Each structure stands twice: as C-alpha cells, then as structure tokens.
Amino acid sequence: MTTTQPASLTASRVAIVGLGLMGGSLALRLRGRCRELLAADPDQVTRQLARQLGVLDHVAADAAEILPQADLVVLAAPVRAILDLIYRLPSMLPVSPTGQRITVIDLGSTKTEICQAYEGLPTHFDPLGGHPMCGKERSGLEHADGDLYQGAVFNLTALERTSPAARGMAMQLVEALGAFPLWLDAHTHDRWAAATSHLPYLLSVALALATPSEAAPLVGPGFRSTSRLASSSPGMMSDILYTNRDNTLLAFDRFRTQMDALEAALRDMDEAAMTSSLNQAVEARGLLLGEEQS
C-alpha cells in the first residue's frame, strides 16, 4: 500500500528530466525552494554546464539513476521525448522505493497524447499534465533564465486518477515559479494552443521563407518581431505540430479564410472591406490581450 507524497514542495526531492531551456530555467528557479534538486540529461556538454552552474545537488546521464530519490518528477523534454519517457517510467522505476506515490508532471506543449500515455502508468505514479506559456526562440541550457516563468500562465491538466496531493504539489510548483495556474482539459488546451502558439510559429516560418534575401537592408522591428518564432528549434516544433496536427490544421483553415478576405479586398480595391477588417483586427487583438479600447 502506498503512502502519500510530501505535503510541501520545500520538503520534496525534485527530479528534472531534461536540462534544456525549460528544464534549466526550472532548476535555476527551484534552487533553495525544495529539499533536493536532481536532474538527468543524456548530453555530456549539458551536464558539464549544469555542474558549472552549481544549482543541482546531483546530475546524471540516465533518468533511472535519479528517479528512486524523487518525490516530484518533472519531464522537461520535447513532446515525443516526453512520450518515450512516460512509456519507460515503469521499467526505470518498477516500484516505489519508499512506498509513496510519485508526482509526475511534464512541460510539454501538447497535452492529449501525453495524458493518454499517463493513463498507462502503474499506480505508484501520480501524473498530471503541464504546459507553461513561456519560452524563447533559442533553446538549450546556455539560454536558461530563472525568471523565465515569472508572470506566465501555466496550464495544468488533471487526469481522473490525479490525486488531490498531486494537484496541490503542482500548484506549489507554479507558485514557486512565479506563474499563474490555469486548469484545462487536454483537448481544450490543445485546441487553444494551436491557435495561440502553434499556428503563429508556422506563420512566422512562412514569413521568413517568403521574404526575399535582397530585402534584408529594410528589415526592422516589425519583421523581427513577426518572424522571431521561426528561429525556434525545428525538432522541438516538429514534435509539437505532429502531436497537435488536427487542431493546427483547423487553425490554418480559420486563418486562410481571413487571408482570402484580405487578399480579395486588396485585389478588388475594396477599401471599405479592408478598413472594416483592419478595424475588427484592432478590436479582436485588444479583447484577446485584455486591453481597453480607446
């Protein structure tokens, strides 16, 4: 029979699996806010840098080395790597060495497939999904920032099997990061994320590809801000897009409808239609960002 996990983050041993931008930033923020901070990453250079930073109590190449000591496991890897880790968790930790349930949360940008994978975990794992709405276009531990999560919305997705204790631990984690919790089911999260994150990335990519290189002298703040996401890790973004394919395609359809209308207004010299769309866009953006309209 399993016992409950520690009631507080400060009393917990936290294991971070993956020390890229998100996992590294998490480690920087959690130093001194938990009992012990452990991490695993397969990349030797990353582990060396982590040791140089001096924020971790132990760094390993294999997650199986740190899992037996953990009360809270944070999977901070690309989505498909998170899925692989979830499938491997039972073999890496067949039983709980202390008899307690181990809270598992991920930082993956899509939730449906991850939460489905969580359902197959043995009962000594107590999982829930997570996705902080923050990041940078540059990945890697060298770009980590302890304030990365500050002020960000942090999506949390509970499963039916998620215990109140795991929910409470997740809330403490979010608070420690300086973020704001938002509880959403996996399908709603993925639908909204497709519109607000995954489609904008593809639009940024398309803009970068469609802009002629000879126009470089006129690149200014507008192009830089609009194309910024195109610098994101292609491997990481490919994982996100293909694990949220249907929702992203639906977002594409809505975007294409708007682009067709704008193109028609420009082609037909329909200034009234163009002006109407531009004014509607100002209002729509203001509503999305919670800005008051003048």
PDB file of all heavy atoms in Angstrom, residues 149-176:
ATOM      1  N   TYR A 149       9.689  31.833 -16.107  1.00  0.00           N
ATOM      2  CA  TYR A 149       8.294  31.502 -15.841  1.00  0.00           C
ATOM      3  C   TYR A 149       7.534  32.640 -15.155  1.00  0.00           C
ATOM      4  O   TYR A 149       6.317  32.572 -15.017  1.00  0.00           O
ATOM      5  CB  TYR A 149       8.215  30.262 -14.947  1.00  0.00           C
ATOM      6  CG  TYR A 149       8.819  29.019 -15.555  1.00  0.00           C
ATOM      7  CD1 TYR A 149      10.175  28.724 -15.407  1.00  0.00           C
ATOM      8  CD2 TYR A 149       8.037  28.122 -16.275  1.00  0.00           C
ATOM      9  CE1 TYR A 149      10.730  27.583 -15.955  1.00  0.00           C
ATOM     10  CE2 TYR A 149       8.579  26.972 -16.820  1.00  0.00           C
ATOM     11  CZ  TYR A 149       9.935  26.715 -16.659  1.00  0.00           C
ATOM     12  OH  TYR A 149      10.478  25.589 -17.207  1.00  0.00           O
ATOM     13  N   GLN A 150       8.259  33.658 -14.707  1.00  0.00           N
ATOM     14  CA  GLN A 150       7.653  34.734 -13.937  1.00  0.00           C
ATOM     15  C   GLN A 150       6.520  35.403 -14.722  1.00  0.00           C
ATOM     16  O   GLN A 150       6.710  35.899 -15.826  1.00  0.00           O
ATOM     17  CB  GLN A 150       8.708  35.788 -13.576  1.00  0.00           C
ATOM     18  CG  GLN A 150       8.216  36.883 -12.655  1.00  0.00           C
ATOM     19  CD  GLN A 150       7.980  36.398 -11.245  1.00  0.00           C
ATOM     20  OE1 GLN A 150       8.758  35.602 -10.718  1.00  0.00           O
ATOM     21  NE2 GLN A 150       6.915  36.873 -10.610  1.00  0.00           N
ATOM     22  N   GLY A 151       5.337  35.416 -14.135  1.00  0.00           N
ATOM     23  CA  GLY A 151       4.197  36.083 -14.746  1.00  0.00           C
ATOM     24  C   GLY A 151       3.517  35.320 -15.862  1.00  0.00           C
ATOM     25  O   GLY A 151       2.552  35.821 -16.453  1.00  0.00           O
ATOM     26  N   ALA A 152       3.981  34.112 -16.163  1.00  0.00           N
ATOM     27  CA  ALA A 152       3.406  33.332 -17.267  1.00  0.00           C
ATOM     28  C   ALA A 152       2.195  32.532 -16.801  1.00  0.00           C
ATOM     29  O   ALA A 152       2.074  32.172 -15.626  1.00  0.00           O
ATOM     30  CB  ALA A 152       4.455  32.379 -17.836  1.00  0.00           C
ATOM     31  N   VAL A 153       1.303  32.248 -17.739  1.00  0.00           N
ATOM     32  CA  VAL A 153       0.223  31.307 -17.468  1.00  0.00           C
ATOM     33  C   VAL A 153       0.793  29.890 -17.543  1.00  0.00           C
ATOM     34  O   VAL A 153       1.545  29.561 -18.466  1.00  0.00           O
ATOM     35  CB  VAL A 153      -0.916  31.479 -18.496  1.00  0.00           C
ATOM     36  CG1 VAL A 153      -1.940  30.350 -18.360  1.00  0.00           C
ATOM     37  CG2 VAL A 153      -1.589  32.833 -18.333  1.00  0.00           C
ATOM     38  N   PHE A 154       0.460  29.075 -16.571  1.00  0.00           N
ATOM     39  CA  PHE A 154       0.947  27.695 -16.527  1.00  0.00           C
ATOM     40  C   PHE A 154      -0.270  26.773 -16.572  1.00  0.00           C
ATOM     41  O   PHE A 154      -1.004  26.648 -15.595  1.00  0.00           O
ATOM     42  CB  PHE A 154       1.742  27.463 -15.236  1.00  0.00           C
ATOM     43  CG  PHE A 154       2.642  26.256 -15.257  1.00  0.00           C
ATOM     44  CD1 PHE A 154       4.015  26.382 -15.079  1.00  0.00           C
ATOM     45  CD2 PHE A 154       2.118  24.987 -15.441  1.00  0.00           C
ATOM     46  CE1 PHE A 154       4.848  25.275 -15.080  1.00  0.00           C
ATOM     47  CE2 PHE A 154       2.940  23.870 -15.453  1.00  0.00           C
ATOM     48  CZ  PHE A 154       4.307  24.015 -15.269  1.00  0.00           C
ATOM     49  N   ASN A 155      -0.499  26.159 -17.736  1.00  0.00           N
ATOM     50  CA  ASN A 155      -1.614  25.242 -17.872  1.00  0.00           C
ATOM     51  C   ASN A 155      -1.366  23.974 -17.060  1.00  0.00           C
ATOM     52  O   ASN A 155      -0.264  23.427 -17.053  1.00  0.00           O
ATOM     53  CB  ASN A 155      -1.803  24.864 -19.342  1.00  0.00           C
ATOM     54  CG  ASN A 155      -2.797  23.735 -19.526  1.00  0.00           C
ATOM     55  OD1 ASN A 155      -3.994  23.948 -19.456  1.00  0.00           O
ATOM     56  ND2 ASN A 155      -2.292  22.519 -19.737  1.00  0.00           N
ATOM     57  N   LEU A 156      -2.401  23.519 -16.375  1.00  0.00           N
ATOM     58  CA  LEU A 156      -2.363  22.255 -15.641  1.00  0.00           C
ATOM     59  C   LEU A 156      -3.532  21.393 -16.098  1.00  0.00           C
ATOM     60  O   LEU A 156      -4.665  21.875 -16.204  1.00  0.00           O
ATOM     61  CB  LEU A 156      -2.460  22.510 -14.128  1.00  0.00           C
ATOM     62  CG  LEU A 156      -1.272  23.257 -13.509  1.00  0.00           C
ATOM     63  CD1 LEU A 156      -1.605  23.687 -12.087  1.00  0.00           C
ATOM     64  CD2 LEU A 156      -0.013  22.407 -13.533  1.00  0.00           C
ATOM     65  N   THR A 157      -3.258  20.120 -16.375  1.00  0.00           N
ATOM     66  CA  THR A 157      -4.272  19.201 -16.860  1.00  0.00           C
ATOM     67  C   THR A 157      -4.307  17.971 -15.961  1.00  0.00           C
ATOM     68  O   THR A 157      -3.381  17.161 -15.970  1.00  0.00           O
ATOM     69  CB  THR A 157      -3.980  18.775 -18.313  1.00  0.00           C
ATOM     70  OG1 THR A 157      -3.975  19.940 -19.142  1.00  0.00           O
ATOM     71  CG2 THR A 157      -5.036  17.811 -18.814  1.00  0.00           C
ATOM     72  N   ALA A 158      -5.357  17.873 -15.182  1.00  0.00           N
ATOM     73  CA  ALA A 158      -5.511  16.732 -14.277  1.00  0.00           C
ATOM     74  C   ALA A 158      -6.166  15.556 -15.000  1.00  0.00           C
ATOM     75  O   ALA A 158      -6.994  15.746 -15.898  1.00  0.00           O
ATOM     76  CB  ALA A 158      -6.343  17.130 -13.068  1.00  0.00           C
ATOM     77  N   LEU A 159      -5.782  14.353 -14.620  1.00  0.00           N
ATOM     78  CA  LEU A 159      -6.445  13.147 -15.074  1.00  0.00           C
ATOM     79  C   LEU A 159      -7.438  12.722 -13.998  1.00  0.00           C
ATOM     80  O   LEU A 159      -7.384  13.218 -12.864  1.00  0.00           O
ATOM     81  CB  LEU A 159      -5.429  12.031 -15.319  1.00  0.00           C
ATOM     82  CG  LEU A 159      -4.513  12.131 -16.543  1.00  0.00           C
ATOM     83  CD1 LEU A 159      -3.495  13.267 -16.414  1.00  0.00           C
ATOM     84  CD2 LEU A 159      -3.789  10.816 -16.757  1.00  0.00           C
ATOM     85  N   GLU A 160      -8.324  11.792 -14.319  1.00  0.00           N
ATOM     86  CA  GLU A 160      -9.233  11.278 -13.293  1.00  0.00           C
ATOM     87  C   GLU A 160      -8.450  10.647 -12.150  1.00  0.00           C
ATOM     88  O   GLU A 160      -8.875  10.696 -10.988  1.00  0.00           O
ATOM     89  CB  GLU A 160     -10.199  10.266 -13.901  1.00  0.00           C
ATOM     90  CG  GLU A 160     -11.272  10.884 -14.780  1.00  0.00           C
ATOM     91  CD  GLU A 160     -12.333   9.879 -15.201  1.00  0.00           C
ATOM     92  OE1 GLU A 160     -12.349   8.763 -14.622  1.00  0.00           O
ATOM     93  OE2 GLU A 160     -13.132  10.199 -16.087  1.00  0.00           O
ATOM     94  N   ARG A 161      -7.304  10.075 -12.459  1.00  0.00           N
ATOM     95  CA  ARG A 161      -6.503   9.392 -11.448  1.00  0.00           C
ATOM     96  C   ARG A 161      -5.617  10.345 -10.636  1.00  0.00           C
ATOM     97  O   ARG A 161      -5.021   9.933  -9.643  1.00  0.00           O
ATOM     98  CB  ARG A 161      -5.623   8.330 -12.111  1.00  0.00           C
ATOM     99  CG  ARG A 161      -4.658   8.899 -13.131  1.00  0.00           C
ATOM    100  CD  ARG A 161      -3.787   7.833 -13.753  1.00  0.00           C
ATOM    101  NE  ARG A 161      -2.724   7.400 -12.856  1.00  0.00           N
ATOM    102  CZ  ARG A 161      -1.862   6.429 -13.127  1.00  0.00           C
ATOM    103  NH1 ARG A 161      -1.971   5.754 -14.269  1.00  0.00           N
ATOM    104  NH2 ARG A 161      -0.918   6.095 -12.273  1.00  0.00           N
ATOM    105  N   THR A 162      -5.519  11.600 -11.046  1.00  0.00           N
ATOM    106  CA  THR A 162      -4.654  12.556 -10.354  1.00  0.00           C
ATOM    107  C   THR A 162      -5.188  12.820  -8.953  1.00  0.00           C
ATOM    108  O   THR A 162      -6.348  13.205  -8.784  1.00  0.00           O
ATOM    109  CB  THR A 162      -4.559  13.876 -11.125  1.00  0.00           C
ATOM    110  OG1 THR A 162      -4.103  13.612 -12.456  1.00  0.00           O
ATOM    111  CG2 THR A 162      -3.599  14.829 -10.443  1.00  0.00           C
ATOM    112  N   SER A 163      -4.345  12.650  -7.950  1.00  0.00           N
ATOM    113  CA  SER A 163      -4.787  12.815  -6.564  1.00  0.00           C
ATOM    114  C   SER A 163      -4.809  14.284  -6.159  1.00  0.00           C
ATOM    115  O   SER A 163      -4.136  15.123  -6.772  1.00  0.00           O
ATOM    116  CB  SER A 163      -3.844  12.052  -5.631  1.00  0.00           C
ATOM    117  OG  SER A 163      -2.606  12.736  -5.524  1.00  0.00           O
ATOM    118  N   PRO A 164      -5.561  14.615  -5.106  1.00  0.00           N
ATOM    119  CA  PRO A 164      -5.509  15.975  -4.561  1.00  0.00           C
ATOM    120  C   PRO A 164      -4.088  16.388  -4.158  1.00  0.00           C
ATOM    121  O   PRO A 164      -3.717  17.554  -4.283  1.00  0.00           O
ATOM    122  CB  PRO A 164      -6.446  15.909  -3.354  1.00  0.00           C
ATOM    123  CG  PRO A 164      -7.411  14.813  -3.686  1.00  0.00           C
ATOM    124  CD  PRO A 164      -6.593  13.785  -4.427  1.00  0.00           C
ATOM    125  N   ALA A 165      -3.309  15.407  -3.675  1.00  0.00           N
ATOM    126  CA  ALA A 165      -1.933  15.725  -3.271  1.00  0.00           C
ATOM    127  C   ALA A 165      -1.099  16.163  -4.469  1.00  0.00           C
ATOM    128  O   ALA A 165      -0.311  17.109  -4.387  1.00  0.00           O
ATOM    129  CB  ALA A 165      -1.297  14.513  -2.603  1.00  0.00           C
ATOM    130  N   ALA A 166      -1.262  15.483  -5.608  1.00  0.00           N
ATOM    131  CA  ALA A 166      -0.516  15.860  -6.811  1.00  0.00           C
ATOM    132  C   ALA A 166      -0.971  17.218  -7.324  1.00  0.00           C
ATOM    133  O   ALA A 166      -0.158  18.029  -7.775  1.00  0.00           O
ATOM    134  CB  ALA A 166      -0.697  14.792  -7.892  1.00  0.00           C
ATOM    135  N   ARG A 167      -2.268  17.479  -7.268  1.00  0.00           N
ATOM    136  CA  ARG A 167      -2.776  18.797  -7.657  1.00  0.00           C
ATOM    137  C   ARG A 167      -2.158  19.879  -6.786  1.00  0.00           C
ATOM    138  O   ARG A 167      -1.750  20.931  -7.274  1.00  0.00           O
ATOM    139  CB  ARG A 167      -4.301  18.833  -7.520  1.00  0.00           C
ATOM    140  CG  ARG A 167      -5.075  18.055  -8.583  1.00  0.00           C
ATOM    141  CD  ARG A 167      -6.549  18.040  -8.224  1.00  0.00           C
ATOM    142  NE  ARG A 167      -7.379  17.390  -9.217  1.00  0.00           N
ATOM    143  CZ  ARG A 167      -8.101  18.025 -10.137  1.00  0.00           C
ATOM    144  NH1 ARG A 167      -8.071  19.348 -10.192  1.00  0.00           N
ATOM    145  NH2 ARG A 167      -8.849  17.352 -10.991  1.00  0.00           N
ATOM    146  N   GLY A 168      -2.117  19.606  -5.485  1.00  0.00           N
ATOM    147  CA  GLY A 168      -1.542  20.582  -4.567  1.00  0.00           C
ATOM    148  C   GLY A 168      -0.067  20.817  -4.824  1.00  0.00           C
ATOM    149  O   GLY A 168       0.412  21.959  -4.759  1.00  0.00           O
ATOM    150  N   MET A 169       0.670  19.734  -5.123  1.00  0.00           N
ATOM    151  CA  MET A 169       2.091  19.885  -5.417  1.00  0.00           C
ATOM    152  C   MET A 169       2.296  20.705  -6.682  1.00  0.00           C
ATOM    153  O   MET A 169       3.199  21.554  -6.767  1.00  0.00           O
ATOM    154  CB  MET A 169       2.745  18.511  -5.569  1.00  0.00           C
ATOM    155  CG  MET A 169       4.257  18.561  -5.789  1.00  0.00           C
ATOM    156  SD  MET A 169       5.160  19.229  -4.364  1.00  0.00           S
ATOM    157  CE  MET A 169       5.020  17.854  -3.223  1.00  0.00           C
ATOM    158  N   ALA A 170       1.452  20.469  -7.698  1.00  0.00           N
ATOM    159  CA  ALA A 170       1.549  21.239  -8.937  1.00  0.00           C
ATOM    160  C   ALA A 170       1.295  22.722  -8.685  1.00  0.00           C
ATOM    161  O   ALA A 170       1.982  23.589  -9.235  1.00  0.00           O
ATOM    162  CB  ALA A 170       0.560  20.699  -9.962  1.00  0.00           C
ATOM    163  N   MET A 171       0.323  23.022  -7.853  1.00  0.00           N
ATOM    164  CA  MET A 171       0.023  24.419  -7.526  1.00  0.00           C
ATOM    165  C   MET A 171       1.194  25.081  -6.795  1.00  0.00           C
ATOM    166  O   MET A 171       1.532  26.243  -7.052  1.00  0.00           O
ATOM    167  CB  MET A 171      -1.238  24.497  -6.683  1.00  0.00           C
ATOM    168  CG  MET A 171      -2.514  24.136  -7.436  1.00  0.00           C
ATOM    169  SD  MET A 171      -2.971  25.406  -8.654  1.00  0.00           S
ATOM    170  CE  MET A 171      -3.633  26.667  -7.569  1.00  0.00           C
ATOM    171  N   GLN A 172       1.839  24.338  -5.911  1.00  0.00           N
ATOM    172  CA  GLN A 172       3.007  24.882  -5.221  1.00  0.00           C
ATOM    173  C   GLN A 172       4.158  25.124  -6.191  1.00  0.00           C
ATOM    174  O   GLN A 172       4.887  26.116  -6.074  1.00  0.00           O
ATOM    175  CB  GLN A 172       3.451  23.923  -4.117  1.00  0.00           C
ATOM    176  CG  GLN A 172       2.494  23.833  -2.946  1.00  0.00           C
ATOM    177  CD  GLN A 172       3.016  22.903  -1.875  1.00  0.00           C
ATOM    178  OE1 GLN A 172       4.111  23.099  -1.326  1.00  0.00           O
ATOM    179  NE2 GLN A 172       2.253  21.866  -1.571  1.00  0.00           N
ATOM    180  N   LEU A 173       4.324  24.210  -7.160  1.00  0.00           N
ATOM    181  CA  LEU A 173       5.371  24.374  -8.163  1.00  0.00           C
ATOM    182  C   LEU A 173       5.126  25.641  -8.978  1.00  0.00           C
ATOM    183  O   LEU A 173       6.040  26.445  -9.187  1.00  0.00           O
ATOM    184  CB  LEU A 173       5.408  23.156  -9.079  1.00  0.00           C
ATOM    185  CG  LEU A 173       6.389  23.219 -10.256  1.00  0.00           C
ATOM    186  CD1 LEU A 173       7.829  23.259  -9.756  1.00  0.00           C
ATOM    187  CD2 LEU A 173       6.180  22.033 -11.200  1.00  0.00           C
ATOM    188  N   VAL A 174       3.892  25.820  -9.430  1.00  0.00           N
ATOM    189  CA  VAL A 174       3.558  27.002 -10.217  1.00  0.00           C
ATOM    190  C   VAL A 174       3.800  28.275  -9.415  1.00  0.00           C
ATOM    191  O   VAL A 174       4.366  29.262  -9.921  1.00  0.00           O
ATOM    192  CB  VAL A 174       2.087  26.927 -10.691  1.00  0.00           C
ATOM    193  CG1 VAL A 174       1.655  28.237 -11.344  1.00  0.00           C
ATOM    194  CG2 VAL A 174       1.907  25.772 -11.664  1.00  0.00           C
ATOM    195  N   GLU A 175       3.406  28.263  -8.154  1.00  0.00           N
ATOM    196  CA  GLU A 175       3.615  29.431  -7.297  1.00  0.00           C
ATOM    197  C   GLU A 175       5.103  29.724  -7.127  1.00  0.00           C
ATOM    198  O   GLU A 175       5.533  30.889  -7.188  1.00  0.00           O
ATOM    199  CB  GLU A 175       2.965  29.204  -5.930  1.00  0.00           C
ATOM    200  CG  GLU A 175       3.117  30.383  -4.982  1.00  0.00           C
ATOM    201  CD  GLU A 175       2.471  30.133  -3.624  1.00  0.00           C
ATOM    202  OE1 GLU A 175       1.910  29.032  -3.411  1.00  0.00           O
ATOM    203  OE2 GLU A 175       2.532  31.043  -2.775  1.00  0.00           O
ATOM    204  N   ALA A 176       5.898  28.672  -6.934  1.00  0.00           N
ATOM    205  CA  ALA A 176       7.339  28.859  -6.764  1.00  0.00           C
ATOM    206  C   ALA A 176       7.985  29.450  -8.010  1.00  0.00           C
ATOM    207  O   ALA A 176       8.981  30.184  -7.917  1.00  0.00           O
ATOM    208  CB  ALA A 176       8.003  27.524  -6.421  1.00  0.00           C
TER     209      ALA A 176
END
